[in-house]
């Protein structure tokens, strides 16, 4: 019999997946996390995904006073760790192989910058309606404009303003 905090699913090919729920450090079981997922194929192959979350809050009684969060995910023992710092709205994800990815959010939670270590960074800006207005990857700049119905109207690139797409 399955635990009340777990779910078992059997696919048509007889692959069995068991998912266990656990409490989020801030919201408890109101917003559960999935600490364990085990998948077993009919041929006996097993994949185990384990995850965890650690948070730091400015006020331990206020779940919205997050100062930092660390999420860890293991797939068959290979860990990826993602950290978030609220003061800078900055993420750092480190893969099991040691590769790092970075992202920064604006005050509205939109991505403003990303980078994978060793590759060009990407920068994003938004118009007053929250739509993507410009992205820059390396030396290439794409600017977006929208029609009155909010559909992408134009994409311009480079310093010459060469049009690369329009309806």
């Amino acid at each position: 019999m399955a635990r009340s905090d777990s779910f078992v699913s059997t696919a048509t090919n007889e692959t069995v997946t068991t998912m266990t729920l656990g409490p989020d450090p801030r919201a408890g079981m109101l917003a559960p996390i999935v600490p364990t997922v085990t998948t077993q194929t009919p041929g006996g192959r097993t994949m185990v995904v384990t995850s965890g979350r650690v948070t730091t809050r400015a006020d331990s009684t206020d779940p919205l006073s997050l100062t930092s969060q660390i999420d860890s995910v293991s797939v068959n023992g290979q860990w990826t760790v993602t950290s978030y710092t609220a003061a800078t709205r900055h993420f750092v994800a480190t893969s099991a192989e040691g590769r790092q990815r970075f992202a920064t959010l604006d005050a509205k939670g939109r991505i403003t910058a990303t980078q994978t270590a060793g590759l060009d960074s990407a920068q994003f800006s938004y118009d007053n309606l929250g739509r993507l207005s410009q992205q820059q990857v390396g030396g290439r700049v794409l600017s977006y404009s929208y029609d009155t119905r909010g559909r992408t109207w134009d994409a311009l690139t480079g310093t010459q303003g060469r049009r690369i797409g329009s309806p």
Side-chain angles (χ1 to χ4, degrees):
M1 178 174 214
R3 298 169 22 173
S4 62
D5 62 347
S6 66
F7 302 91
V8 178
S9 171
T10 303
T12 57
N13 70 352
E14 300 301 315
T15 296
V16 177
T17 301
T18 304
M19 177 174 45
T20 305
L21 300 178
D24 175 81
R26 295 189 295 160
M29 290 303 281
L30 293 173
I33 61 172
V34 181
T36 308
V37 176
T38 303
T39 303
Q40 189 164 20
T41 67
R45 295 182 63 109
T46 301
M47 177 177 70
V48 178
V49 178
T50 306
S51 65
R53 173 173 290 163
V54 176
T55 61
T56 305
R57 294 180 280 180
D59 177 354
S60 63
T61 63
D62 180 3
L64 300 179
S65 66
L66 183 71
T67 57
S68 67
Q69 178 171 308
I70 299 173
D71 290 318
S72 303
V73 178
S74 166
V75 178
N76 292 336
Q78 299 295 308
W79 287 92
T80 296
V81 178
T82 302
S83 64
Y84 173 72
T85 305
T88 58
R89 296 185 299 273
H90 191 72
F91 287 91
V92 177
T94 305
S95 71
E97 296 80 19
R99 290 188 288 268
Q100 289 192 309
R101 295 182 317 270
F102 307 92
T104 303
L105 307 178
D106 67 11
K108 294 184 178 182
R110 300 173 298 202
I111 295 176
T112 58
T114 63
Q115 181 164 16
T116 299
L119 299 176
D120 284 337
S121 64
Q123 307 288 324
F124 305 93
S125 53
Y126 303 87
D127 67 15
N128 59 353
L129 296 176
R131 301 173 299 196
L132 182 63
S133 61
Q134 189 175 74
Q135 76 179 46
Q136 179 178 350
V137 179
R140 184 175 183 165
V141 177
L142 293 174
S143 298
Y144 300 92
S145 60
Y146 299 86
D147 67 14
T148 57
R149 295 173 64 188
R151 298 175 296 191
T152 304
W153 177 254
D154 238 347
L156 302 175
T157 184
T159 55
Q160 293 86 23
R162 184 173 57 91
R163 186 166 276 123
I164 62 168
S166 61

